[in-house]
Amino acid sequence: MRIVFLFLLVGFSALASCDGCEESRSKRDLLIRTKRRWVLSTIEIDEEMKGDYPQFVSKMYNDKTQGKEFRFEISGLAVNLNYLTIDEKTGEVFVHKPIDREEYPCFHVIFDVYDTETNQKIDKELAFDVDVKDINDNPPTFMKIPKDFLVNESQPEGLLGVEVIGQDLDEKNSVNSTFNITVIKQDPLEPKIQAKWIDERIVHLNFTGCFDYDKAKQYQITLEAKDHGTPPLSSTAVITLNVGDTNTNMPVFKKREFQAEVHEMDLIPELFRFKVDDKDTPNTDGWRAKFFFISGNQKGNFKVETDPKTNEGVLSIVKKTNYDNTTLVELVIGVENIEPFTKCQNGKLIKNDSKLYADRIVVKVTMLDDNDPPEFHPPKAKVYENEESEPGRVIFTPKVVDPDSTSFRFQLVEDPADWVSVDEKTGEIKTTKKMDRESPFVDENDIYKIVIAAIDDGKPPATSYCTIDVQLRDINDNKPQLANSSLIMCGNKNKVIISVQDLDGEPYCGPFTFAFDNEEDEKQWKLDPTHGQQGGLVSLKPLPFGNYSVSLLIGDQQNNVGHQTLAVVVCDCGDTDKCRAKQPLSIDFGGPGVALIIAGFLLFLILLLIFFCDSGEKQLKDMTDEGTQTLIKYNQEGGGSACNAEPVYPTSTTAHDGIMQSNVMLKSNIPSEYHFNEEMYKSKNNMTISMNSHHQRDSYRSQEGRSMFSSMASNRMTSYRNKSLSHRYSSVRSDYNLTSRIERKLSMISKSDTDNAGDKTFGYSYEGTGSKCESLDKLSLSNLGDDFQFLDDLGPKFKTLADICQ
């Protein structure tokens, strides 16, 4: 059993931590075993060992090493920190430097033995603890101690409220860590301050006696913490104790006598100011003064209070008092502080009633008797009256007493609606108009307020006032009315709520009854509900948007019926309860629309550029008459030459470009030398020829006159046409432009000459190969810049034609 016990002991020591170090300290003896493999002793090392290092501490053995080459090894924190080493051959353990127990109270060390040839363990490892023995190398210190502390001088003796906590880092529960805390010095010496133990580490300071701020305002307290080790170690700390000033001095009046004369019934906010002197610290509750009446103010006519800015007392008259004769009033006023008075006397704190030590003064006030005003009995009255009562009723007669006068008069002071009058001698109040409970001059409690005054004949006259509250009783004098005469019915709803108001009160108001005043309204409306504080108007069928008028009969509880007309607006409300406003017109072009606008603008700029370029290249020449050798324009052809060709009369009427044109086919044979640019004329299906002057309209209203003019013009121009045949080939363009202008003129005449059936233009078809007789239609006339030099020498025949035309 002993062998088993030793093995268990070794195993547990191998698993133990530093906490196990303390448990192993009880086994200080050598562990010796019969037929043992390991022989060792528990190693103890003194803290902070003195002497030269290294120092021998222990030696190890193992019986399995006999006959073998071996070596010892140790491992652990002590080895890593170079505190412990072992001799490989002998097993001797050495310590190499001092160990601080407060840092390393013990070490856990592992021992091994190896075969030097095979480098294998000869035996199982052995673990044990190395204990460091404590010495008294740490003095006790103060963990928690206030540097400054405030104590009021009025604090009663006992605990100060100062807590001090100390500690010692040496081994717990040993003489080295046990200590005491004491007060070793204080300045000044009174009151006596001591340390009182709470537990082994905490002490509280207490005192006996009292503090006096006037004698000492600050104390220095020196504390010592001392242990029981050998040698004993200690430390000190100083606490500064500040004494707070309290009310240990009573305030004193600077002035002792006060006298004044005032008129009775006067209210004076500041009659006197009292200055005081106090030796306590200013602006503290022990310095702030508090004044009070000792005698003379039994009726409460006076008031004394403290001005917080100046600490002065302020005496005022706050209540009117009527004295029969001039009277002298004596007021005894005392002063104390807000904080209760205390005093340290003969080492004892004395607390007494402040008023016993309070300073006092006497204030004399002479109240002068004046003319007292009349007194109403009562000064405020209440009367009841039915609204709309006939005027002339007496609703109130006051009762007035005046001890100083026998004659006085009454006056109406307040009558906002001008409903009453007052008798100047008796004060009798009489109605002059009907009173209306619903008037804005009546308050929410149905009370109408009247104020009258009584003025005596004294010198000076005195006045008093009386308030009369007239409680008006309601009658049913108002018919129900619509709260809102116009309502909105949204298109997605078919009902609106009808709100009604009645200025009368109960029982002359709602709930109300609702009915139609017009039978036609019952065809498209119904009332639901028909009784209640509110009514409902329901449409029987969907109504088009618009305005509707509904006549209603609304009666109150007493069947006082009012005729009302309700305007109903049926509209589209959307998601709200109001009619939706008309949406403004808007156009959203989008991307393509914007592109088209830009393209149109660019096209306009291009056309404008072409127009300016074309007009710059060509200039129109003026063809006005400048002499006898100039060709003159004519709007009337005159007579025509005889033509043997057989005309083809109009066979059909066609519409071309909005103009009615008569188509006539002209058949003629034109010599080959006259064939020029015939394709130019074929491009126009119908050539229209018309006179464009409106004031020459009568010249071609007759078909016969037109033929004569054409024949004469043809004969006169025969010679001209023969001479200008060669030039006509170069005037095709001018003919085409002239044709376009004639077409425009025909269009203008056709639109403006619709009033006369005979005033019409006739269109002539292209003449084909030409007529046998030459006529003016073969002339090439141009006003667009052609060369007219050939007209300078047309011969005497053309001059004759010109004279005839002119």
Side-chain angles (χ1 to χ4, degrees):
M1 288 295 295
R2 186 177 180 184
I3 296 174
V4 174
F5 175 75
L6 289 175
F7 275 113
L8 291 175
L9 181 61
V10 172
F12 281 123
S13 63
L15 297 174
S17 62
C18 291
D19 291 339
C21 294
E22 296 181 358
E23 297 178 0
S24 63
R25 289 171 187 165
S26 62
K27 301 189 179 292
R28 304 292 182 180
D29 298 336
L30 292 176
L31 297 178
I32 303 173
R33 166 188 139 193
T34 306
K35 296 182 182 181
R36 55 193 168 276
R37 295 176 301 176
W38 282 103
V39 178
L40 57 94
S41 61
T42 301
I43 302 175
E44 289 185 349
I45 302 175
D46 290 335
E47 179 185 13
E48 305 289 346
M49 291 175 58
K50 306 297 183 181
D52 297 332
Y53 289 90
Q55 296 185 20
F56 174 81
V57 293
S58 182
K59 186 176 182 179
M60 296 181 59
Y61 299 94
N62 189 284
D63 55 5
K64 285 188 176 185
T65 60
Q66 296 177 1
K68 298 180 180 180
E69 293 293 331
F70 62 90
R71 60 181 174 84
F72 291 101
E73 284 188 4
I74 61 175
S75 61
L77 181 61
V79 178
N80 297 335
L81 298 176
N82 198 26
Y83 282 114
L84 298 177
T85 61
I86 188 171
D87 189 291
E88 293 182 351
K89 300 298 183 180
T90 63
E92 293 178 345
V93 179
F94 297 91
V95 60
H96 291 265
K97 56 184 177 179
I99 303 175
D100 186 2
R101 195 207 68 85
E102 285 72 37
E103 186 177 2
Y104 302 108
C106 70
F107 292 108
H108 191 69
V109 183
I110 298 175
F111 289 86
D112 289 297
V113 59
Y114 291 89
D115 189 331
T116 56
E117 294 181 357
T118 63
N119 202 29
Q120 297 294 324
K121 288 184 179 181
I122 298 176
D123 200 355
K124 295 179 180 181
E125 68 180 23
L126 176 66
F128 67 98
D129 295 327
V130 177
D131 289 340
V132 180
K133 296 175 63 176
D134 184 39
I135 64 173
N136 190 22
D137 60 340
N138 292 283
T141 58
F142 294 96
M143 291 179 57
K144 177 184 177 182
I145 183 171
K147 294 182 177 180
D148 300 280
F149 189 79
L150 177 66
V151 57
N152 290 326
E153 62 176 333
S154 60
Q155 183 169 335
E157 64 180 8
L159 292 175
L160 279 174
V162 179
E163 181 181 75
V164 179
I165 301 176
Q167 69 172 355
D168 195 315
L169 298 178
D170 290 324
E171 185 178 358
K172 293 182 179 180
N173 302 321
S174 67
V175 293
N176 294 334
S177 62
T178 303
F179 61 90
N180 294 329
I181 297 177
T182 57
V183 178
I184 61 174
K185 182 181 179 181
Q186 79 171 61
D187 183 30
L189 298 178
E190 296 295 336
K192 186 67 175 178
I193 300 175
Q194 299 173 339
K196 181 178 181 181
W197 279 93
I198 304 300
D199 60 21
E200 60 181 8
R201 297 183 311 116
I202 302 174
V203 295
H204 285 176
L205 299 184
N206 65 348
F207 74 102
T208 55
C210 58
F211 293 94
D212 191 340
Y213 178 81
D214 297 330
K215 293 181 179 180
K217 297 177 175 58
Q218 190 178 82
Y219 288 77
Q220 298 293 328
I221 311 298
T222 304
L223 300 178
E224 181 187 55
K226 187 175 183 180
D227 64 21
H228 297 169
T230 303
L233 302 177
S234 64
S235 63
T236 60
V238 177
I239 299 176
T240 301
L241 196 65
N242 297 310
V243 179
D245 186 23
T246 58
N247 185 23
T248 56
N249 297 278
M250 294 293 292
V252 178
F253 287 100
K254 291 185 176 182
K255 185 178 179 180
R256 316 301 300 178
E257 295 182 358
F258 295 89
Q259 293 183 0
E261 290 184 355
V262 297
H263 292 276
E264 64 171 350
M265 305 300 290
D266 285 350
L267 299 179
I268 302 177
E270 185 177 312
L271 182 60
F272 290 114
R273 276 185 172 266
F274 312 123
K275 294 184 178 182
V276 295
D277 187 18
D278 197 314
K279 295 181 180 180
D280 292 316
T281 303
N283 299 318
T284 63
D285 288 345
W287 173 84
R288 294 184 180 93
K290 184 172 69 173
F291 299 88
F292 58 93
F293 289 104
I294 297 176
S295 63
N297 191 36
Q298 289 77 9
K299 295 183 179 180
N301 300 332
F302 299 88
K303 180 181 179 181
V304 62
E305 55 187 354
T306 304
D307 187 338
K309 295 182 179 179
T310 62
N311 205 36
E312 296 175 342
V314 179
L315 179 65
S316 58
I317 301 177
V318 296
K319 185 179 178 180
K320 294 181 179 180
T321 304
N322 186 15
Y323 295 91
D324 295 336
N325 299 301
T326 299
T327 305
L328 177 64
V329 179
E330 291 188 357
L331 302 174
V332 180
I333 300 175
V335 61
E336 59 179 348
N337 296 116
I338 296 176
E339 185 179 341
F341 173 76
T342 59
K343 193 171 185 65
C344 183
Q345 190 172 16
N346 299 325
K348 297 292 183 182
L349 185 66
I350 299 175
K351 291 185 177 181
N352 293 320
D353 187 1
S354 300
K355 290 182 171 57
L356 297 177
Y357 296 89
D359 191 18
R360 62 186 64 188
I361 57 173
V362 177
V363 180
K364 297 180 180 180
V365 181
T366 301
M367 307 300 297
L368 302 177
D369 185 25
D370 293 328
N371 178 33
D372 298 325
E375 297 180 0
F376 284 94
H377 296 284
K380 186 173 183 178
K382 187 173 184 178
V383 297
Y384 296 88
E385 182 72 13
N386 292 331
E387 70 167 332
E388 302 297 337
S389 297
E390 293 298 326
R393 290 171 45 85
V394 176
I395 60 175
F396 179 73
T397 301
K399 295 181 179 179
V400 181
V401 177
D402 191 342
D404 296 335
S405 301
T406 58
S407 176
F408 43 83
R409 57 187 176 85
F410 295 93
Q411 182 177 332
L412 185 62
V413 177
E414 186 174 338
D415 177 24
D418 194 22
W419 285 344
V420 299
S421 63
V422 62
D423 188 280
E424 185 175 335
K425 295 182 179 180
T426 62
E428 188 178 73
I429 298 177
K430 183 183 297 184
T431 60
T432 58
K433 298 178 183 178
K434 292 183 179 181
M435 294 185 174
D436 185 6
R437 189 190 69 90
E438 291 74 33
S439 170
F441 300 105
V442 179
D443 64 15
E444 63 276 6
N445 297 319
D446 302 338
I447 293 178
Y448 180 69
K449 182 179 178 180
I450 302 172
V451 179
I452 61 174
I455 306 172
D456 64 15
D457 57 354
K459 294 182 180 180
T463 304
S464 62
Y465 301 91
C466 178
T467 301
I468 301 95
D469 292 337
V470 181
Q471 181 76 52
L472 293 176
R473 299 187 184 95
D474 189 25
I475 64 173
N476 196 9
D477 58 337
N478 292 280
K479 296 180 180 181
Q481 297 178 349
L482 290 173
N484 192 348
S485 61
S486 178
L487 297 177
I488 294 176
M489 177 180 289
C490 295
N492 56 354
K493 300 178 182 178
N494 66 337
K495 183 177 181 179
V496 291
I497 301 300
I498 304 174
S499 299
V500 181
Q501 61 182 4
D502 194 328
L503 299 179
D504 295 323
E506 289 287 348
Y508 307 113
C509 57
F512 306 98
T513 57
F514 300 87
F516 289 113
D517 194 15
N518 188 352
E519 295 181 356
E520 294 296 328
D521 294 334
E522 298 179 359
K523 296 179 181 180
Q524 58 181 358
W525 306 95
K526 75 172 182 178
L527 294 169
D528 183 24
T530 60
H531 182 77
Q533 295 294 343
Q534 292 180 326
L537 181 64
V538 182
S539 62
L540 299 177
K541 56 183 178 181
L543 298 175
F545 293 164
N547 299 326
Y548 298 87
S549 179
V550 181
S551 299
L552 298 175
L553 297 176
I554 306 175
D556 59 16
Q557 296 185 54
Q558 308 302 325
N559 202 26
N560 188 5
V561 179
H563 297 260
Q564 298 289 313
T565 300
L566 176 64
V568 181
V569 180
V570 181
C571 62
D572 181 18
C573 301
D575 298 332
T576 64
D577 294 333
K578 297 181 179 179
C579 291
R580 177 183 294 176
K582 292 184 178 180
Q583 298 294 331
L585 296 178
S586 62
I587 299 176
D588 186 7
F589 285 99
V594 175
L596 289 175
I597 292 176
I598 296 175
F601 181 71
L602 293 176
L603 181 59
F604 171 75
L605 293 178
I606 293 172
L607 294 176
L608 186 63
L609 180 62
I610 293 173
F611 173 76
F612 281 111
C613 292
D614 187 63
S615 62
E617 294 175 356
K618 299 179 181 180
Q619 296 181 355
L620 299 177
K621 293 184 177 181
D622 189 7
M623 295 184 64
T624 57
D625 187 7
E626 295 180 356
T628 58
Q629 300 299 320
T630 303
L631 181 64
I632 302 175
K633 298 184 296 180
Y634 295 98
N635 291 329
Q636 183 174 356
E637 293 181 287
S641 61
C643 181
N644 297 324
E646 294 179 2
V648 180
Y649 294 100
T651 58
S652 63
T653 303
T654 62
H656 179 68
D657 294 334
I659 305 172
M660 295 304 296
Q661 301 175 356
S662 296
N663 297 330
V664 178
M665 299 299 297
L666 299 179
K667 298 179 180 180
S668 61
N669 294 323
I670 301 177
S672 59
E673 63 269 13
Y674 293 155
H675 292 175
F676 57 94
N677 288 343
E678 186 177 351
E679 294 300 323
M680 178 65 69
Y681 289 94
K682 292 181 179 179
S683 63
K684 293 291 288 184
N685 294 330
N686 296 321
M687 178 71 71
T688 59
I689 302 173
S690 175
M691 297 303 179
N692 57 1
S693 176
H694 182 70
H695 62 79
Q696 296 290 341
R697 189 178 300 161
D698 294 336
S699 65
Y700 51 82
R701 285 183 179 177
S702 172
Q703 183 65 32
E704 181 179 1
R706 186 183 297 110
S707 299
M708 184 183 296
F709 177 80
S710 176
S711 178
M712 182 183 67
S714 178
N715 293 331
R716 297 293 183 180
M717 295 296 294
T718 299
S719 61
Y720 164 73
R721 293 183 63 182
N722 292 332
K723 293 180 181 181
S724 60
L725 181 62
S726 61
H727 181 72
R728 188 171 182 179
Y729 286 94
S730 63
S731 304
V732 176
R733 178 185 175 191
S734 299
D735 293 340
Y736 176 75
N737 294 333
L738 181 60
T739 302
S740 298
R741 184 173 181 183
I742 293 174
E743 287 178 345
R744 290 196 299 270
K745 293 295 183 178
L746 286 173
S747 176
M748 295 173 58
I749 296 172
S750 175
K751 291 180 181 179
S752 60
D753 297 339
T754 58
D755 52 348
N756 294 324
D759 186 14
K760 296 182 180 179
T761 60
F762 293 91
Y764 298 88
S765 296
Y766 179 60
E767 297 183 51
T769 57
S771 174
K772 292 181 179 181
C773 59
E774 296 178 354
S775 63
L776 289 177
D777 60 344
K778 293 298 182 177
L779 291 176
S780 177
L781 302 178
S782 174
N783 61 350
L784 298 177
D786 293 330
D787 188 6
F788 292 97
Q789 295 297 326
F790 68 96
L791 298 176
D792 294 338
D793 188 15
L794 295 177
K797 293 182 179 180
F798 186 81
K799 291 182 180 180
T800 303
L801 175 62
D803 294 336
I804 295 173
C805 293
Q806 188 174 4

